[in-house]
Amino acid sequence: MRILHLLNHTKRLNGHVHAAVDLACAQVQLGHSVAIASGGGDFDALLTSKGVESKFLNHDRRPSALPGALTSLRQLERQWRPDVIHAHMMTSAVLAWPICKIARIPLVTTVHNEFQKSSILMGLGTRVIAVSDAVQQSMEKRGVPKTKLRVVLNGTIGSARFEGKDRSPQRLDGPSILFVGGLHPRKGLPDLFKAFDIVSGQNQAARLYVVGDGPHRAEYAHLVSTLNCSTAVTFFGALDEPFPFLMGADIFVLPSHADPAPLVLSEAREAGCAVIATKVDGIPQLLEYGKAGILVATRDPDALARAICSLLQSPHALQEWRDKSQYNIDHLTIARVARDTLEIYADASRQVRGRSEMRANPNQA
């Protein structure tokens, strides 16, 4: 199969980019011809080394830029002749929809950021991939037909992005509690800081490490400076390779207010962390509904603090939840994600072929 992925760019530290890069590389490994058309970025060299072709496509959202992008995509479709186009963001879906209609090829879209209002445009796809059951339910409520929707739960184990990287554990003082992610309000960092202030009062040796960056970093650093635990919190900023920190941490905490299917949970489980996360969106599914991690209510620092303290106070409980993180871990492989996605391509292709045959032979309908 010839598969053309559309992305706005291939820069690091963007979850939808990581997911698309992982998928494209895995599809090549399965014997398919794969290209990514995007504005380019950090992963282009990796993609080339894995046999994924990189094509330039401007994803500028300005209305004046769209006609040129449509023309470029139409030319690329004619030259490269994909069997399916897979769009990963709203602009990609809008550009691909008329091209796929003209060429009579399936358009598959993936809803990575369901919390964005514009994600409803991903419903333009012949098939619409939701990255968790929660996202599927949300998109259905927003008007995307159930017949279009399919779930492919995110996974990262076996990612080409990690090949050849030093995965030795980062030494962390502790007991160590780690957060990895963007410093955005939906990630719930203030709840974690308030919870850790409680934890630190009961266990002065505990340390909190924050890996990631974002527009609210200065605000969060100021908030921490006002708390009694301030000297026990370290901001590391954004890191290209956070996995060694996951390997070195005792507990991984994700206090999100909204999170469709965060890749970092797959990585934290692979690293063997005890995991505590909020019961919201796709998080419970990624934690096997509590079998692979502790689930707490969102926006509840007291509940978060109790969960953390329950592990810090009992080495047995901490090791038990480390072990539980490995429950059904094979379901989080990128190979499984690739296989599930290829099945959806085949399903979408059958639908498009059926429609074409009906147009060609209307009397047989």
Side-chain angles (χ1 to χ4, degrees):
M1 180 176 283
R2 295 179 67 78
I3 304 160
L4 177 61
H5 292 276
L6 301 185
L7 284 167
N8 46 356
H9 59 76
T10 56
K11 297 176 183 177
R12 292 182 182 275
L13 305 179
N14 291 270
H16 74 284
V17 173
H18 294 179
V21 167
D22 288 349
L23 177 59
C25 293
Q27 289 170 337
V28 169
Q29 193 170 18
L30 290 172
H32 300 275
S33 297
V34 185
I36 288 184
S38 74
D42 305 312
F43 287 115
D44 289 351
L46 171 65
L47 291 167
T48 299
S49 72
K50 295 300 178 182
V52 180
E53 297 182 45
S54 291
K55 309 290 185 181
F56 178 79
L57 182 67
N58 182 12
H59 278 69
D60 192 331
R61 294 186 181 184
R62 291 177 301 171
S64 60
L66 291 177
L70 280 167
T71 300
S72 296
L73 181 55
R74 176 58 170 157
Q75 290 174 345
L76 176 58
E77 182 275 324
R78 284 173 167 172
Q79 293 167 1
W80 204 75
R81 302 189 65 80
D83 297 309
V84 61
I85 293 180
H86 189 157
H88 293 267
M89 293 300 285
M90 179 269 290
T91 304
S92 301
V94 171
L95 290 173
W97 182 75
I99 305 302
C100 289
K101 288 291 184 183
I102 294 169
R104 295 185 180 179
I105 60 175
L107 169 62
V108 173
T109 61
T110 293
V111 183
H112 295 281
N113 298 327
E114 171 272 333
F115 51 87
Q116 295 178 337
K117 291 182 179 180
S118 59
S119 65
I120 190 63
L121 290 170
M122 305 308 277
L124 292 169
T126 312
R127 290 290 180 269
V128 180
I129 295 175
V131 294
S132 65
D133 288 342
V135 171
Q136 180 189 37
Q137 294 161 11
S138 176
M139 297 305 291
E140 189 178 346
K141 289 178 181 177
R142 294 169 68 178
V144 177
K146 187 175 182 178
T147 53
K148 283 190 173 189
L149 287 160
R150 302 289 186 273
V151 175
V152 178
L153 185 68
N154 278 339
T156 61
I157 298 173
S159 164
R161 292 179 292 115
F162 303 147
E163 289 183 12
K165 304 294 185 182
D166 182 3
R167 308 195 100 189
S168 304
Q170 172 71 36
R171 185 182 180 281
L172 300 172
D173 293 332
S176 53
I177 301 152
L178 178 68
F179 167 88
V180 177
L183 306 192
H184 302 282
R186 71 180 181 88
K187 292 293 186 178
L189 267 300
D191 296 340
L192 176 56
F193 297 142
K194 293 173 185 176
F196 183 70
D197 201 38
I198 298 171
V199 171
S200 181
Q202 299 182 29
N203 188 327
Q204 295 185 357
R207 295 293 182 268
L208 173 62
Y209 300 94
V210 179
V211 173
D213 210 342
H216 294 266
R217 179 174 176 175
E219 174 188 337
Y220 292 158
H222 174 71
L223 171 60
V224 169
S225 72
T226 68
L227 301 175
N228 293 328
C229 65
S230 61
T231 58
V233 180
T234 302
F235 289 84
F236 278 106
L239 300 174
D240 287 343
E241 305 298 340
F243 196 82
F245 285 80
L246 291 165
M247 289 289 292
D250 295 308
I251 304 170
F252 176 79
V253 179
L254 189 63
S256 299
H257 295 169
D259 233 331
L263 298 178
V264 71
L265 286 181
S266 174
E267 296 169 8
R269 288 183 57 190
E270 182 185 5
C273 296
V275 180
I276 302 172
T278 46
K279 194 184 304 183
V280 66
D281 296 340
I283 289 176
Q285 189 174 4
L286 282 165
L287 293 180
E288 299 289 342
Y289 300 98
K291 293 180 180 179
I294 298 173
L295 294 168
V296 299
T298 188
R299 303 175 187 271
D300 191 340
D302 290 334
L304 193 57
R306 286 194 296 271
I308 295 171
C309 286
S310 72
L311 299 186
L312 296 185
Q313 292 167 1
S314 169
H316 174 76
L318 178 60
Q319 186 58 51
E320 181 181 18
W321 281 103
R322 280 182 172 274
D323 294 341
K324 285 183 176 182
S325 72
Q326 302 306 294
Y327 174 80
N328 201 24
I329 193 74
D330 289 344
H331 191 62
L332 298 182
T333 64
I334 189 61
R336 188 269 308 162
V337 173
R339 290 193 300 269
D340 289 353
T341 304
L342 288 166
E343 289 179 7
I344 293 170
Y345 293 168
D347 182 33
S349 297
R350 285 191 294 269
Q351 177 172 318
V352 171
R353 279 198 307 271
R355 287 176 178 173
S356 297
E357 290 169 2
M358 287 178 64
R359 292 191 190 99
N361 303 286
N363 293 330
Q364 295 182 12

